[in-house]
């Protein structure tokens, strides 16, 4: 009977090992699968952020536009690494854990079989004890019962030994796989974060090198370009410059007056007509050219 108790203790220990593996490997599988899905969703959200950055960059001034586009490219590179991270987690971490479901079921079936045979051994022992108590003189029945006990005991011993080998192999493989799975998990995470730190460092430099003053100057120049004419209109009462376009009418009138005066003087002093025309046209041409250059510079 002591042998039966020893076998019972062995089976309970092996069953406990398989039960714990079933419980915790199931938790590991569900949690790491959720971790992988969360990482994939994070990748998707980051892709949306990249798209919004590019769209917003197209509305900004040149310096910010270039900075945001470069930053978006760096962020997109991180998501490429994150995509590789998701695929590796699925292949090297989640999938191997899923395979433990069938293995645990098979090991449980072996334990159930062993427990059934052990129960038969206990029944044969109890039957023999009852015969010895009720019919101690019935040697034939006692001999048959003893034979049944020996057979049941041999079956139980053989089955227990096979179960020991099965559970030992299961435990060995479980420990090796657990080590490899989490080594792969840590390696995948380290590779991703190492690459991400490298890319984020470049993104940091991109953002840090942004020329704020250049964009502000461009913005203010555009603002002056839009409102510059309103600011300049009140200056009409001041002395007009040759470079101001709206001074042409008064200068033209003065030029005409000078021309008439010089024609009168030419008629009196017999000056050549060509010189008068050259002087008159020369003043108008200078005003026209200055007006055009000023206009271009304002544009």
């Amino acid at each position: 009977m002591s042998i039966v108790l020893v076998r019972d203790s062995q089976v309970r220990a092996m069953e406990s090992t398989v039960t714990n593996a079933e419980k915790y490997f199931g938790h590991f599988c569900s949690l790491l699968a959720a971790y992988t899905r969360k990482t994939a969703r994070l990748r998707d959200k980051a892709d949306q952020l990249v798209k919004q950055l590019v769209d917003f960059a197209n509305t900004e001034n040149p310096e910010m536009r270039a900075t945001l586009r470069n930053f978006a490219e760096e962020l997109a590179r991180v998501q490429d690494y994150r995509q590789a991270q998701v695929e590796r987690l699925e292949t090297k971490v989640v999938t191997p854990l899923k395979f433990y479901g069938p293995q645990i079921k098979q090991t449980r079936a072996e334990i159930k079989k062993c427990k059934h045979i052990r129960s038969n051994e206990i029944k044969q022992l109890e039957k023999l004890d009852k015969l010895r108590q009720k019919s101690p003189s019935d040697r034939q029945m006692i001999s048959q019962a003893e034979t049944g006990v020996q057979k049941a005991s041999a079956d139980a011993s053989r089955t227990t030994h096979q179960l020991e080998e099965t559970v030992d192999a299961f435990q060995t493989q479980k420990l090796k796989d657990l080590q490899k799975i989490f080594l792969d998990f840590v390696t995948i995470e380290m590779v991703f974060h190492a690459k991400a730190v490298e890319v984020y460092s470049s993104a940091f430099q991109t953002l840090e090198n942004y020329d704020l003053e250049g964009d502000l100057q461009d913005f203010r120049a555009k603002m002056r370009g839009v409102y510059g004419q309103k600011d300049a209109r009140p200056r009409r009462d001041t002395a007009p410059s040759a470079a101001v376009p709206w001074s042409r009418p008064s200068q033209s009138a003065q030029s005409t007056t000078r021309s008439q005066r010089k024609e009168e003087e030419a008629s009196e002093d017999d000056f050549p007509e060509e010189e008068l025309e050259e002087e008159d046209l020369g003043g108008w041409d200078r005003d026209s050219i200055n007006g055009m250059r000023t206009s271009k510079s304002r544009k």
Side-chain angles (χ1 to χ4, degrees):
M1 195 68 179
S2 61
I3 296 177
V4 175
L5 294 175
V6 170
R7 287 173 186 160
D8 185 64
S9 176
Q10 288 176 326
V11 172
R12 282 201 304 270
M14 291 184 285
E15 186 176 20
S16 176
T17 298
V18 175
T19 300
N20 289 334
E22 183 179 28
K23 175 183 177 181
Y24 290 103
F25 270 60
H27 290 333
F28 292 152
C29 185
S30 61
L31 289 172
L32 287 168
Y35 180 93
T36 304
R37 289 193 298 271
K38 292 283 187 181
T39 304
R41 282 198 286 270
L42 179 60
R43 172 208 59 203
D44 295 339
K45 292 298 182 182
D47 286 339
Q48 293 177 13
L49 176 59
V50 168
K51 184 179 182 302
Q52 292 298 317
L53 283 170
V54 173
D55 291 345
F56 178 68
N58 293 331
T59 67
E60 282 296 312
N61 293 322
E63 291 295 332
M64 178 58 75
R65 180 165 59 247
T67 298
L68 286 179
R69 284 178 177 175
N70 292 335
F71 173 60
E73 288 178 3
E74 300 292 352
L75 194 58
R77 284 179 60 197
V78 174
Q79 305 325 305
D80 292 339
Y81 293 131
R82 204 184 299 277
Q83 172 62 23
Q85 177 194 19
V86 169
E87 293 174 355
R88 290 167 183 166
L89 285 172
E90 182 66 30
T91 302
K92 295 187 175 183
V93 176
V94 177
T95 301
L97 287 171
K98 288 180 180 178
F99 288 156
Y100 267 84
Q103 291 183 22
I104 289 172
K105 287 181 179 179
Q106 183 179 357
T107 307
R108 276 200 171 281
E110 294 292 332
I111 292 173
K112 185 177 181 181
K113 179 182 177 181
C114 182
K115 289 172 72 175
H116 177 72
I117 294 173
R118 184 177 56 81
S119 296
N120 183 53
E121 181 187 15
I122 293 172
K123 287 179 181 179
Q124 293 297 326
L125 285 170
E126 290 175 349
K127 181 179 179 181
L128 177 61
D129 288 340
K130 288 178 181 179
L131 284 172
R132 284 175 176 172
Q133 291 175 3
K134 290 182 180 180
S135 306
S137 60
D138 191 351
R139 299 303 303 170
Q140 184 178 0
M141 292 295 294
I142 291 174
S143 178
Q144 290 178 355
E146 288 176 346
T147 303
V149 168
Q150 290 176 358
K151 183 180 179 181
S153 180
D155 288 343
S157 178
R158 185 183 66 256
T159 305
T160 303
H161 181 69
Q162 291 175 351
L163 183 62
E164 285 179 1
E165 292 180 347
T166 300
V167 174
D168 184 83
F170 172 82
Q171 179 72 357
T172 302
Q173 190 65 41
K174 182 195 78 174
L175 296 176
K176 288 182 178 178
D177 288 346
L178 195 64
Q179 180 188 32
K180 185 177 186 306
I181 286 170
F182 282 104
L183 277 174
D184 287 340
F185 174 78
V186 173
T187 302
I188 291 167
E189 292 296 304
M190 286 194 303
V191 169
F192 167 74
H193 285 93
K195 294 290 187 181
V197 166
E198 180 182 349
V199 177
Y200 279 134
S201 298
S202 177
F204 181 86
Q205 291 298 325
T206 297
L207 293 170
E208 193 176 49
N209 294 335
Y210 165 60
D211 185 7
L212 173 63
E213 291 300 324
D215 261 355
L216 286 176
Q217 289 178 6
D218 184 74
F219 174 77
R220 289 163 182 166
K222 289 181 179 178
M223 294 296 291
R224 285 194 296 269
V226 172
Y227 300 108
Q229 293 182 358
K230 294 182 179 180
D231 295 339
R233 288 184 188 277
R235 299 180 182 177
R236 286 187 176 182
D237 296 336
T238 61
S241 172
V244 181
W246 55 76
S247 65
R248 291 175 187 171
S250 59
Q251 288 183 357
S252 178
Q254 291 177 5
S255 178
T256 304
T257 304
R258 287 198 305 270
S259 177
Q260 291 175 352
R261 187 181 299 116
K262 289 181 180 180
E263 286 178 358
E264 292 175 357
E265 292 175 356
S267 61
E268 295 177 358
D269 299 334
D270 295 329
F271 281 108
E273 185 176 351
E274 294 178 359
E275 291 182 2
L276 293 175
E277 292 177 355
E278 182 180 356
E279 182 181 359
D280 182 22
L281 292 174
W284 174 252
D285 286 347
R286 281 195 299 273
D287 290 341
S288 300
I289 292 171
N290 289 334
M292 291 175 62
R293 185 177 298 152
T294 305
S295 177
K296 288 182 180 180
S297 64
R298 286 178 178 273
K299 292 180 182 178

